[in-house]
């Protein structure tokens, strides 16, 4: 499921960018506001997990290159 944020990977690391211009719908009630913001937080948490997973893989690959002589 695509979220409202995407991760951009480059040679200098990873960055989170908004993939849409509008991040929430128009909200009037407290419950609508809470739902909209909670959805954004959940999507950012997904980005955090993916970035950390990728960072661990990259560090592991560099570690293996260093000690394997690859």
């Amino acid at each position: 499921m695509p979220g409202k944020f995407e991760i951009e990977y480059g040679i200098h690391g990873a960055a989170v960018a908004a993939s849409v211009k509008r991040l929430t719908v128009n909200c009037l009630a407290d419950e609508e506001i809470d739902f909209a913001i909670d959805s954004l937080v959940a999507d950012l948490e997904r980005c955090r997990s993916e970035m950390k997973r990728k960072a661990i893989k990259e560090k592991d690959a560099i570690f293996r290159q260093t000690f394997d002589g690859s």
Side-chain angles (χ1 to χ4, degrees):
M1 174 179 87
K4 294 195 177 199
F5 300 100
E6 59 188 29
I7 302 171
E8 298 174 346
Y9 294 101
I11 61 170
H12 299 292
V16 177
S19 58
V20 295
K21 189 173 181 178
R22 177 177 280 206
L23 296 175
T24 68
V25 298
N26 295 331
C27 302
L28 292 174
D30 286 351
E31 296 81 20
E32 293 174 323
I33 295 167
D34 289 341
F35 180 78
I37 300 303
D38 288 345
S39 296
L40 294 174
V41 169
D43 197 29
L44 283 170
E45 290 292 339
R46 178 194 56 80
C47 290
R48 179 199 327 239
S49 296
E50 185 177 328
M51 290 171 77
K52 285 184 175 184
R53 190 170 35 254
K54 176 88 170 176
I56 289 169
K57 286 181 182 178
E58 293 295 322
K59 287 179 188 173
D60 189 41
I62 291 169
F63 181 78
R64 277 186 271 130
Q65 279 183 339
T66 302
F67 291 102
D68 289 345
S70 306

